[in-house]
Amino acid sequence: MSGLDVEKIKRDSRRLRGSVAEGLEDPVTGALAEADTVITKFHGIYQQDDRDTRNERREARLEPAYQFMIRVRVPGGVINPKQWQALDELAGSVANGTLRLTTRQAVQFHGVAKEDLRTLMRGIDAVLMDSLAACGDVNRNVMCHVQPEASEVHAQALQWAQRLSAHLTPKTGAWREIWIDGKKVADSETEPEAEPLYGETYLPRKFKIGVAIPPINDVDIFSQDLGFIAIEEEGRLVGFNVTVGGGLGCTHGEPKTFPRLGDVIGFIPPGQLLELAETVVTIQRDFGDRKERKHARFKYTIEDRGLDWLRQELQGRLQATLEPARAFEFIHSGDRYGWTEAVDGSWQLNLFILSGRLFPQQRQGLRVLIDEGVVADVRLTPNQNLVLAGVSASHRARVEETLAAHGLDEHRQASPVRLNAMACVALPTCGLAMAEAERYLPDLVRRIEEMAARHGVEEQPITVRISGCPNGCSRPYLAEIGLVGRAPGRYNLYLGAGFDGSRLNRLALDNANEADILEYLDGAFAHFAAGREPGEHFGNFLVRAGFIAPAHHGRDVNL
Ligand code: SRM
Ligand code: SF4
């Protein structure tokens, strides 16, 4: 993929059409043309192959077992019952039987064959969902804190997240034309439709936006290209602090690439949110690096040009000026499990789903509750978990009993370490994985749980996140214990991030095997058990005690 001229492919694609429709009709291969695999990302579709069978098939002189991953966009993570039923049915009929909840509140199908792509897309379209802009060089799924019914402010913040998503979605008709109705909006003879915000080459790279509501930083606001921190005064949403330039992906051995925390640059009232977001996106469109994709994220534009430059650029383009940032405090970047009562008197239950993977038995349990009508909507959390919302008090017992019968009650008994653990997908579907992540997480967590118990700190919540490569899809550089894949069975170990998502961690062990990682962690736990202050979190302790030096800047993370 690195050899492809992505800018040219975008420009020549006639607003994201390429030859995707023709490729779907080709029965000779299960794959699409290489340039079209760039285009389909903008449609939320990734061409993959089953890496578990790759060598075997190569030896048998077969083409790789091509299959597709489809990411459905779910702004703010809210899914209604009809939509859930459709997703569930498609998972069983055209995907690999699982639904995968992601770290950005979207849903993924894995293992879909080329000939089933249209069936899947029509299935989601029928319930008013789509996958346009779930991937690609555009604004992606907009994240939002997940319990909007907890207060008026939550409900308003969710609405803003959904409006942001709608405002920044590409205007191309290609998604509908290719996947749904085949009606040509543009062909090689006619001019394609206008794409007023993005233009013909879209953004230099992906762009991510999140909305956080203090004191919970579940969306990891400092990892977003553009973040909005809701500011509440006397129970009212008065506006948002704005963060810019977060991002986590990097490449092993390339110090020019690094994770970066977003900077808070000021405050805006709610009415300026859409204009501000659009303006930031156009600044990145105009100034982001279009030559080197590894240097094309907004964080590098800011790093290279500086925040003063950004402020000036904003001033020149915006009607209004940013006010000074208001005070806020985060305490936690995870989910709050269990039942909470909403302002309307209904109840919501935050479940734990290990690595966001819903297997058939778990899907079935959720289906029972949805079909019985006891859940008003399903919400996906930014930590790969799930909230059942709008449950009446009289249905709580029924919900609990059904969940327990289907292996969905881990939130009641799992350890604090397990409840704060995440892994990216990695093998066998991710083409970029260097090591296992999702499939390794249960073993790793078990070992850390045993270790914590040996040191008498098993009641401490500690964030553990594994990514199969340095792209950091599980946000491992913001975990108190972060593992990042180097090679099969080998990881970099990072320690010392803040529990509230406001400090990056730092490299503790380079390219280590499991035994070395566990031995190192054992030492860290021994110190923690002996020296922590009441209420002190693991990452904060390791930094305070000098066990690991703090990362003052993203460039320090890999030093
Ligand atoms: Fe990611 C690429 C999975 C959240 C940084 N990510 C990928 C791909 C599509 C691999 C590829 O390009 O071929 C992975 C598909 C695996 C599969 O088989 O499903 C993949 N990323 C995921 C998900 C599903 C991980 C998960 O376990 O939940 C998350 C989907 C989010 C969504 O719904 O939109 C996911 N990815 C993230 C995050 C976390 C976040 O956004 O909060 C990050 C770090 C934040 C950031 O963007 O800086 C992230 N993914 C990347 C990168 C590195 C980008 C960079 O700036 O260098 C890549 C590689 C790339 O873009 O070239 C990547
Ligand atoms: Fe794949 Fe790497 Fe992302 Fe994991 S972190 S899903 S291995 S790209």
Side-chain angles (χ1 to χ4, degrees):
M1 194 62 69
S2 53
L4 292 179
D5 184 344
V6 175
E7 289 299 310
K8 181 171 179 341
I9 293 171
K10 289 188 278 188
R11 189 176 314 111
D12 294 348
S13 74
R14 292 174 300 116
R15 307 290 189 270
L16 308 178
R17 290 175 172 81
S19 58
V20 177
E22 291 78 359
L24 291 174
E25 307 304 328
D26 180 355
V28 176
T29 168
L32 292 169
E34 204 180 10
D36 287 337
T37 64
V38 173
I39 304 299
T40 52
K41 288 183 186 176
F42 290 74
H43 296 236
I45 299 173
Y46 272 80
Q47 180 172 305
Q48 304 183 318
D49 70 289
D50 178 359
R51 293 184 58 184
D52 284 348
T53 62
R54 208 183 255 183
N55 289 343
E56 201 182 294
R57 290 182 69 92
R58 191 179 297 138
E59 277 164 26
R61 294 169 184 270
L62 292 168
E63 79 169 11
Y66 288 119
Q67 48 177 255
F68 292 83
M69 176 270 273
I70 292 86
R71 188 179 290 163
V72 182
R73 195 161 49 98
V74 189
V78 180
I79 300 180
N80 70 35
K82 277 213 160 17
Q83 292 174 331
W84 186 268
Q85 285 164 335
L87 296 175
D88 179 64
E89 264 149 40
L90 291 164
S93 58
V94 292
N96 68 357
T98 72
L99 280 173
R100 179 58 159 71
L101 318 182
T102 76
T103 51
R104 291 195 71 76
Q105 298 176 287
V107 182
Q108 287 186 183
F109 296 97
H110 285 108
V112 179
K114 188 171 83 171
E115 59 269 26
D116 290 329
L117 284 171
R118 276 206 178 108
T119 306
L120 191 144
M121 295 307 200
R122 287 174 183 164
I124 61 172
D125 179 63
V127 288
L128 305 181
M129 298 184 101
D130 66 51
S131 59
L132 177 63
C135 317
D137 296 344
V138 284
N139 176 55
R140 304 276 185 100
N141 201 39
V142 178
M143 295 169 76
C144 184
H145 176 57
V146 84
Q147 299 194 338
E149 249 91 81
S151 75
E152 281 302 313
V153 173
H154 289 72
Q156 287 169 17
L158 172 65
Q159 280 168 14
W160 281 113
Q162 291 169 333
R163 289 179 70 181
L164 271 170
S165 174
H167 192 72
L168 300 173
T169 301
K171 299 289 176 253
T172 175
W175 189 88
R176 181 149 294 281
E177 180 181 309
I178 294 172
W179 307 109
I180 311 301
D181 54 20
K183 272 192 218 134
K184 287 216 166 24
V185 181
D187 58 26
S188 48
E189 307 293 309
T190 56
E191 263 303 295
E193 64 277 49
E195 193 70 275
L197 173 61
Y198 291 112
E200 61 177 4
T201 47
Y202 294 83
L203 297 181
R205 205 64 165 86
K206 58 175 77 168
F207 195 88
K208 299 182 172 180
I209 300 183
V211 180
I213 306 175
I216 307 298
N217 186 16
D218 51 359
V219 304
D220 266 328
I221 200 75
F222 302 109
S223 72
Q224 309 286 338
D225 292 273
L226 174 61
F228 295 101
I229 301 172
I231 302 295
E232 179 178 349
E233 281 171 12
E234 294 166 6
R236 279 189 329 112
L237 177 73
V238 293
F240 298 90
N241 281 348
V242 180
T243 70
V244 291
L248 298 180
C250 58
T251 306
H252 290 310
E254 289 194 20
K256 281 198 319 206
T257 67
F258 46 85
R260 185 181 191 282
L261 292 184
D263 296 286
V264 180
I265 56 165
F267 169 90
I268 49 161
Q272 285 172 21
L273 187 83
L274 297 182
E275 191 200 352
L276 185 281
E278 183 178 320
T279 307
V280 172
V281 167
T282 55
I283 291 173
Q284 166 63 357
R285 178 197 65 196
D286 298 345
F287 291 97
D289 187 344
R290 288 187 185 262
K291 294 214 164 63
E292 201 187 334
R293 284 184 68 76
K294 280 191 180 170
H295 185 255
R297 290 293 291 271
F298 187 42
K299 63 181 174 182
Y300 300 118
T301 313
I302 292 197
E303 197 62 31
D304 294 350
R305 294 172 181 266
L307 286 173
D308 287 342
W309 164 82
L310 179 73
R311 282 201 183 90
Q312 269 177 16
E313 208 44 55
L314 279 170
Q315 222 165 347
R317 298 184 185 213
L318 275 175
Q319 307 286 350
T321 45
L322 266 75
E323 297 170 31
R326 308 260 173 110
F328 64 95
E329 189 197 9
F330 288 123
I331 53 169
H332 187 191
S333 62
D335 289 339
R336 290 174 300 172
Y337 295 100
W339 291 102
T340 43
E341 190 173 4
V343 276
D344 65 1
S346 69
W347 290 83
Q348 47 206 24
L349 177 62
N350 195 328
L351 307 179
F352 172 70
I353 311 293
L354 185 65
S355 299
R357 182 75 66 178
L358 288 167
F359 292 97
Q361 187 205 10
Q362 297 165 309
R363 279 180 32 225
Q364 199 198 347
L366 293 168
R367 250 330 262 281
V368 169
L369 294 172
I370 299 282
D371 291 353
E372 285 179 2
V374 297
V375 173
D377 62 59
V378 172
R379 302 200 179 147
L380 311 181
T381 84
N383 290 298
Q384 304 174 323
N385 293 312
L386 195 139
V387 172
L388 302 178
V391 178
S392 71
S394 60
H395 284 138
R396 280 180 51 170
R398 171 70 186 141
V399 168
E400 290 200 0
E401 168 200 315
T402 309
L403 294 177
H406 292 86
L408 280 163
D409 58 346
E410 277 216 67
H411 60 281
R412 288 159 60 99
Q413 60 246 326
S415 71
V417 167
R418 194 173 169 93
L419 293 175
N420 285 287
M422 287 205 289
C424 73
V425 178
L427 293 162
T429 54
C430 179
L432 306 178
M434 298 170 174
E436 296 282 353
E438 184 180 324
R439 296 194 294 198
Y440 175 44
L441 187 69
D443 278 352
L444 179 76
V445 164
R446 204 169 309 120
R447 294 195 169 98
I448 295 178
E449 283 170 343
E450 286 161 9
M451 191 181 287
R454 258 200 324 278
H455 291 287
V457 291
E458 66 274 26
E459 293 309 322
Q460 292 302 309
I462 295 173
T463 48
V464 178
R465 297 178 181 175
I466 315 179
S467 279
C469 84
N471 287 321
C473 297
S474 60
R475 300 190 289 269
Y477 309 107
L478 284 165
E480 291 175 292
I481 300 176
L483 264 68
V484 171
R486 293 290 301 255
R490 302 192 79 87
Y491 298 85
N492 282 359
L493 170 69
Y494 297 85
L495 293 175
F499 191 69
D500 61 355
S502 67
R503 184 180 60 244
L504 292 163
N505 53 21
R506 193 173 182 135
L507 185 66
L509 280 182
D510 188 20
N511 197 13
N513 63 22
E514 186 185 66
D516 290 342
I517 289 170
L518 292 177
E519 190 184 326
Y520 197 91
L521 283 178
D522 202 48
F525 272 97
H527 270 68
F528 182 51
R532 76 198 157 102
E533 284 171 0
E536 191 171 28
H537 285 288
F538 187 58
N540 291 348
F541 167 79
L542 294 182
V543 168
R544 179 180 64 78
F547 197 89
I548 191 98
H552 294 297
H553 185 279
R555 278 194 210 87
D556 302 342
V557 167
N558 278 302
L559 293 181

